[in-house]
Amino acid sequence: MPKTASKKKTPVTASPERRRELLDTAAEVFAAQGYNATTVRKIADAAGMLAGSLYYHFDSKESMLDEILSTFLTELWEGYDAVLAAGLGPRETIEALVTESFREIDRHRAAVAIYQKESRHLTDQPRFHYLIDSQQKFEKAWLGTLERGVEAGTFRADLDIRLTYRFVRDTVWVAASWYRPGGQHSPEEIARQYLSMVLDGIAVRT
């Protein structure tokens, strides 16, 4: 069946800088107000432009959210894949993954906040099914590293792997709710402080 022609204006190519600026604005609005409560008009108001003008750049708020989340996840996995391919020991891998996570929060704080709040509902939409794949890949990477650490004697033998994974995952990513780029501590410094608390609790005592 042929598709019905859209009544919306065909998006035009914006400069990379302007596109990034508009997406950053949209991400902040989505993070603060929630995806369902956010309208194109609200995003346009925050960007200082008319709602109709925003349609020259994006065909819908869904398209904006898709680009925000896919950009964040693409960068996240570039960093994670590099860590996982580096042949590090279990503890060093955890340290590197946590550090990379805080760097991503620094780069994409609003996108992380959106992902935390909205991903469960977004995965019901075919356009966002890639979020499920990312979640499964994320879980496999962390659980596999923790299991490898227990087998190697780096982490305690009585460690509940899945509970530890959930604790580490949630306590890292919740930082998006309070972290602000350019603050007193760099993402690397926050990661070091975080790791000193977490790993002293799961590393084998000598």
PDB file of all heavy atoms in Angstrom, residues 91-111:
ATOM      1  N   ARG A  91      39.569  -6.436  36.942  1.00  0.00           N
ATOM      2  CA  ARG A  91      39.490  -5.194  37.719  1.00  0.00           C
ATOM      3  C   ARG A  91      39.770  -3.986  36.834  1.00  0.00           C
ATOM      4  O   ARG A  91      39.055  -2.979  36.894  1.00  0.00           O
ATOM      5  CB  ARG A  91      40.467  -5.227  38.890  1.00  0.00           C
ATOM      6  CG  ARG A  91      40.414  -3.946  39.731  1.00  0.00           C
ATOM      7  CD  ARG A  91      41.380  -3.981  40.896  1.00  0.00           C
ATOM      8  NE  ARG A  91      41.336  -2.720  41.622  1.00  0.00           N
ATOM      9  CZ  ARG A  91      41.023  -2.598  42.901  1.00  0.00           C
ATOM     10  NH1 ARG A  91      40.721  -3.670  43.613  1.00  0.00           N
ATOM     11  NH2 ARG A  91      40.999  -1.413  43.487  1.00  0.00           N
ATOM     12  N   GLU A  92      40.789  -4.087  36.004  1.00  0.00           N
ATOM     13  CA  GLU A  92      41.139  -2.981  35.123  1.00  0.00           C
ATOM     14  C   GLU A  92      40.026  -2.704  34.113  1.00  0.00           C
ATOM     15  O   GLU A  92      39.779  -1.548  33.738  1.00  0.00           O
ATOM     16  CB  GLU A  92      42.451  -3.273  34.393  1.00  0.00           C
ATOM     17  CG  GLU A  92      43.688  -3.273  35.279  1.00  0.00           C
ATOM     18  CD  GLU A  92      43.785  -4.519  36.163  1.00  0.00           C
ATOM     19  OE1 GLU A  92      43.173  -5.563  35.810  1.00  0.00           O
ATOM     20  OE2 GLU A  92      44.472  -4.449  37.209  1.00  0.00           O
ATOM     21  N   THR A  93      39.347  -3.757  33.683  1.00  0.00           N
ATOM     22  CA  THR A  93      38.227  -3.580  32.756  1.00  0.00           C
ATOM     23  C   THR A  93      37.085  -2.833  33.430  1.00  0.00           C
ATOM     24  O   THR A  93      36.505  -1.906  32.855  1.00  0.00           O
ATOM     25  CB  THR A  93      37.727  -4.940  32.235  1.00  0.00           C
ATOM     26  OG1 THR A  93      38.786  -5.593  31.530  1.00  0.00           O
ATOM     27  CG2 THR A  93      36.538  -4.761  31.294  1.00  0.00           C
ATOM     28  N   ILE A  94      36.754  -3.226  34.654  1.00  0.00           N
ATOM     29  CA  ILE A  94      35.706  -2.522  35.406  1.00  0.00           C
ATOM     30  C   ILE A  94      36.093  -1.058  35.580  1.00  0.00           C
ATOM     31  O   ILE A  94      35.270  -0.145  35.381  1.00  0.00           O
ATOM     32  CB  ILE A  94      35.477  -3.174  36.783  1.00  0.00           C
ATOM     33  CG1 ILE A  94      34.838  -4.564  36.629  1.00  0.00           C
ATOM     34  CG2 ILE A  94      34.606  -2.284  37.676  1.00  0.00           C
ATOM     35  CD1 ILE A  94      33.411  -4.544  36.103  1.00  0.00           C
ATOM     36  N   GLU A  95      37.336  -0.810  35.949  1.00  0.00           N
ATOM     37  CA  GLU A  95      37.800   0.572  36.135  1.00  0.00           C
ATOM     38  C   GLU A  95      37.649   1.377  34.852  1.00  0.00           C
ATOM     39  O   GLU A  95      37.182   2.529  34.865  1.00  0.00           O
ATOM     40  CB  GLU A  95      39.260   0.574  36.589  1.00  0.00           C
ATOM     41  CG  GLU A  95      39.454   0.046  37.999  1.00  0.00           C
ATOM     42  CD  GLU A  95      40.919  -0.117  38.386  1.00  0.00           C
ATOM     43  OE1 GLU A  95      41.775  -0.154  37.465  1.00  0.00           O
ATOM     44  OE2 GLU A  95      41.210  -0.202  39.591  1.00  0.00           O
ATOM     45  N   ALA A  96      38.034   0.779  33.731  1.00  0.00           N
ATOM     46  CA  ALA A  96      37.968   1.478  32.454  1.00  0.00           C
ATOM     47  C   ALA A  96      36.525   1.705  32.009  1.00  0.00           C
ATOM     48  O   ALA A  96      36.191   2.761  31.461  1.00  0.00           O
ATOM     49  CB  ALA A  96      38.740   0.702  31.391  1.00  0.00           C
ATOM     50  N   LEU A  97      35.652   0.716  32.241  1.00  0.00           N
ATOM     51  CA  LEU A  97      34.242   0.867  31.870  1.00  0.00           C
ATOM     52  C   LEU A  97      33.568   1.954  32.695  1.00  0.00           C
ATOM     53  O   LEU A  97      32.784   2.756  32.162  1.00  0.00           O
ATOM     54  CB  LEU A  97      33.498  -0.460  32.042  1.00  0.00           C
ATOM     55  CG  LEU A  97      33.828  -1.575  31.051  1.00  0.00           C
ATOM     56  CD1 LEU A  97      33.101  -2.864  31.450  1.00  0.00           C
ATOM     57  CD2 LEU A  97      33.455  -1.171  29.625  1.00  0.00           C
ATOM     58  N   VAL A  98      33.862   1.993  33.982  1.00  0.00           N
ATOM     59  CA  VAL A  98      33.285   3.030  34.838  1.00  0.00           C
ATOM     60  C   VAL A  98      33.786   4.406  34.408  1.00  0.00           C
ATOM     61  O   VAL A  98      33.015   5.369  34.314  1.00  0.00           O
ATOM     62  CB  VAL A  98      33.612   2.761  36.322  1.00  0.00           C
ATOM     63  CG1 VAL A  98      33.298   3.984  37.178  1.00  0.00           C
ATOM     64  CG2 VAL A  98      32.826   1.554  36.826  1.00  0.00           C
ATOM     65  N   THR A  99      35.078   4.515  34.143  1.00  0.00           N
ATOM     66  CA  THR A  99      35.637   5.795  33.718  1.00  0.00           C
ATOM     67  C   THR A  99      35.011   6.247  32.403  1.00  0.00           C
ATOM     68  O   THR A  99      34.636   7.420  32.253  1.00  0.00           O
ATOM     69  CB  THR A  99      37.169   5.700  33.561  1.00  0.00           C
ATOM     70  OG1 THR A  99      37.741   5.317  34.827  1.00  0.00           O
ATOM     71  CG2 THR A  99      37.764   7.029  33.129  1.00  0.00           C
ATOM     72  N   GLU A 100      34.868   5.314  31.457  1.00  0.00           N
ATOM     73  CA  GLU A 100      34.247   5.659  30.175  1.00  0.00           C
ATOM     74  C   GLU A 100      32.789   6.069  30.370  1.00  0.00           C
ATOM     75  O   GLU A 100      32.291   6.969  29.687  1.00  0.00           O
ATOM     76  CB  GLU A 100      34.339   4.469  29.217  1.00  0.00           C
ATOM     77  CG  GLU A 100      33.915   4.788  27.795  1.00  0.00           C
ATOM     78  CD  GLU A 100      34.753   5.874  27.155  1.00  0.00           C
ATOM     79  OE1 GLU A 100      35.984   5.920  27.400  1.00  0.00           O
ATOM     80  OE2 GLU A 100      34.183   6.691  26.402  1.00  0.00           O
ATOM     81  N   SER A 101      32.111   5.438  31.314  1.00  0.00           N
ATOM     82  CA  SER A 101      30.714   5.791  31.591  1.00  0.00           C
ATOM     83  C   SER A 101      30.603   7.219  32.083  1.00  0.00           C
ATOM     84  O   SER A 101      29.730   7.981  31.632  1.00  0.00           O
ATOM     85  CB  SER A 101      30.131   4.834  32.638  1.00  0.00           C
ATOM     86  OG  SER A 101      30.125   3.502  32.182  1.00  0.00           O
ATOM     87  N   PHE A 102      31.480   7.621  33.000  1.00  0.00           N
ATOM     88  CA  PHE A 102      31.426   8.995  33.503  1.00  0.00           C
ATOM     89  C   PHE A 102      31.818   9.997  32.420  1.00  0.00           C
ATOM     90  O   PHE A 102      31.304  11.121  32.398  1.00  0.00           O
ATOM     91  CB  PHE A 102      32.311   9.147  34.740  1.00  0.00           C
ATOM     92  CG  PHE A 102      31.646   8.690  36.007  1.00  0.00           C
ATOM     93  CD1 PHE A 102      32.032   7.513  36.636  1.00  0.00           C
ATOM     94  CD2 PHE A 102      30.611   9.420  36.571  1.00  0.00           C
ATOM     95  CE1 PHE A 102      31.410   7.077  37.795  1.00  0.00           C
ATOM     96  CE2 PHE A 102      29.981   8.999  37.734  1.00  0.00           C
ATOM     97  CZ  PHE A 102      30.383   7.817  38.350  1.00  0.00           C
ATOM     98  N   ARG A 103      32.699   9.615  31.521  1.00  0.00           N
ATOM     99  CA  ARG A 103      33.022  10.500  30.397  1.00  0.00           C
ATOM    100  C   ARG A 103      31.805  10.708  29.505  1.00  0.00           C
ATOM    101  O   ARG A 103      31.562  11.809  29.001  1.00  0.00           O
ATOM    102  CB  ARG A 103      34.170   9.904  29.583  1.00  0.00           C
ATOM    103  CG  ARG A 103      35.528  10.012  30.269  1.00  0.00           C
ATOM    104  CD  ARG A 103      36.597   9.281  29.480  1.00  0.00           C
ATOM    105  NE  ARG A 103      37.909   9.374  30.116  1.00  0.00           N
ATOM    106  CZ  ARG A 103      38.880   8.492  29.957  1.00  0.00           C
ATOM    107  NH1 ARG A 103      38.694   7.437  29.160  1.00  0.00           N
ATOM    108  NH2 ARG A 103      40.039   8.652  30.569  1.00  0.00           N
ATOM    109  N   GLU A 104      31.022   9.636  29.313  1.00  0.00           N
ATOM    110  CA  GLU A 104      29.820   9.767  28.493  1.00  0.00           C
ATOM    111  C   GLU A 104      28.765  10.615  29.187  1.00  0.00           C
ATOM    112  O   GLU A 104      28.035  11.359  28.532  1.00  0.00           O
ATOM    113  CB  GLU A 104      29.261   8.386  28.150  1.00  0.00           C
ATOM    114  CG  GLU A 104      30.077   7.635  27.116  1.00  0.00           C
ATOM    115  CD  GLU A 104      30.249   8.431  25.837  1.00  0.00           C
ATOM    116  OE1 GLU A 104      29.242   8.970  25.320  1.00  0.00           O
ATOM    117  OE2 GLU A 104      31.390   8.557  25.359  1.00  0.00           O
ATOM    118  N   ILE A 105      28.666  10.510  30.502  1.00  0.00           N
ATOM    119  CA  ILE A 105      27.749  11.375  31.241  1.00  0.00           C
ATOM    120  C   ILE A 105      28.173  12.828  31.075  1.00  0.00           C
ATOM    121  O   ILE A 105      27.340  13.726  30.926  1.00  0.00           O
ATOM    122  CB  ILE A 105      27.705  10.976  32.731  1.00  0.00           C
ATOM    123  CG1 ILE A 105      27.043   9.607  32.891  1.00  0.00           C
ATOM    124  CG2 ILE A 105      26.954  12.024  33.557  1.00  0.00           C
ATOM    125  CD1 ILE A 105      27.129   9.032  34.294  1.00  0.00           C
ATOM    126  N   ASP A 106      29.480  13.065  31.065  1.00  0.00           N
ATOM    127  CA  ASP A 106      29.989  14.417  30.862  1.00  0.00           C
ATOM    128  C   ASP A 106      29.627  14.929  29.469  1.00  0.00           C
ATOM    129  O   ASP A 106      29.246  16.089  29.301  1.00  0.00           O
ATOM    130  CB  ASP A 106      31.511  14.425  31.051  1.00  0.00           C
ATOM    131  CG  ASP A 106      32.121  15.807  30.878  1.00  0.00           C
ATOM    132  OD1 ASP A 106      31.828  16.679  31.721  1.00  0.00           O
ATOM    133  OD2 ASP A 106      32.882  16.020  29.909  1.00  0.00           O
ATOM    134  N   ARG A 107      29.735  14.074  28.460  1.00  0.00           N
ATOM    135  CA  ARG A 107      29.468  14.486  27.075  1.00  0.00           C
ATOM    136  C   ARG A 107      27.971  14.545  26.766  1.00  0.00           C
ATOM    137  O   ARG A 107      27.527  15.374  25.975  1.00  0.00           O
ATOM    138  CB  ARG A 107      30.116  13.493  26.097  1.00  0.00           C
ATOM    139  CG  ARG A 107      31.619  13.403  26.163  1.00  0.00           C
ATOM    140  CD  ARG A 107      32.132  12.453  25.079  1.00  0.00           C
ATOM    141  NE  ARG A 107      33.536  12.132  25.250  1.00  0.00           N
ATOM    142  CZ  ARG A 107      34.013  10.938  25.572  1.00  0.00           C
ATOM    143  NH1 ARG A 107      33.172   9.939  25.750  1.00  0.00           N
ATOM    144  NH2 ARG A 107      35.313  10.732  25.705  1.00  0.00           N
ATOM    145  N   HIS A 108      27.195  13.640  27.362  1.00  0.00           N
ATOM    146  CA  HIS A 108      25.788  13.478  26.973  1.00  0.00           C
ATOM    147  C   HIS A 108      24.885  13.370  28.204  1.00  0.00           C
ATOM    148  O   HIS A 108      24.039  12.476  28.278  1.00  0.00           O
ATOM    149  CB  HIS A 108      25.628  12.216  26.120  1.00  0.00           C
ATOM    150  CG  HIS A 108      26.385  12.235  24.839  1.00  0.00           C
ATOM    151  ND1 HIS A 108      26.012  13.005  23.761  1.00  0.00           N
ATOM    152  CD2 HIS A 108      27.512  11.578  24.449  1.00  0.00           C
ATOM    153  CE1 HIS A 108      26.859  12.821  22.763  1.00  0.00           C
ATOM    154  NE2 HIS A 108      27.774  11.955  23.149  1.00  0.00           N
ATOM    155  N   ARG A 109      25.048  14.286  29.158  1.00  0.00           N
ATOM    156  CA  ARG A 109      24.293  14.184  30.403  1.00  0.00           C
ATOM    157  C   ARG A 109      22.792  14.095  30.159  1.00  0.00           C
ATOM    158  O   ARG A 109      22.096  13.239  30.714  1.00  0.00           O
ATOM    159  CB  ARG A 109      24.601  15.378  31.307  1.00  0.00           C
ATOM    160  CG  ARG A 109      23.944  15.281  32.694  1.00  0.00           C
ATOM    161  CD  ARG A 109      23.797  16.635  33.329  1.00  0.00           C
ATOM    162  NE  ARG A 109      22.958  17.519  32.538  1.00  0.00           N
ATOM    163  CZ  ARG A 109      21.621  17.474  32.548  1.00  0.00           C
ATOM    164  NH1 ARG A 109      20.976  16.573  33.282  1.00  0.00           N
ATOM    165  NH2 ARG A 109      20.925  18.309  31.801  1.00  0.00           N
ATOM    166  N   ALA A 110      22.255  14.980  29.325  1.00  0.00           N
ATOM    167  CA  ALA A 110      20.809  14.986  29.091  1.00  0.00           C
ATOM    168  C   ALA A 110      20.358  13.694  28.401  1.00  0.00           C
ATOM    169  O   ALA A 110      19.315  13.133  28.739  1.00  0.00           O
ATOM    170  CB  ALA A 110      20.417  16.202  28.263  1.00  0.00           C
ATOM    171  N   ALA A 111      21.156  13.218  27.446  1.00  0.00           N
ATOM    172  CA  ALA A 111      20.800  11.974  26.755  1.00  0.00           C
ATOM    173  C   ALA A 111      20.776  10.801  27.722  1.00  0.00           C
ATOM    174  O   ALA A 111      19.907   9.926  27.636  1.00  0.00           O
ATOM    175  CB  ALA A 111      21.784  11.710  25.623  1.00  0.00           C
TER     176      ALA A 111
END
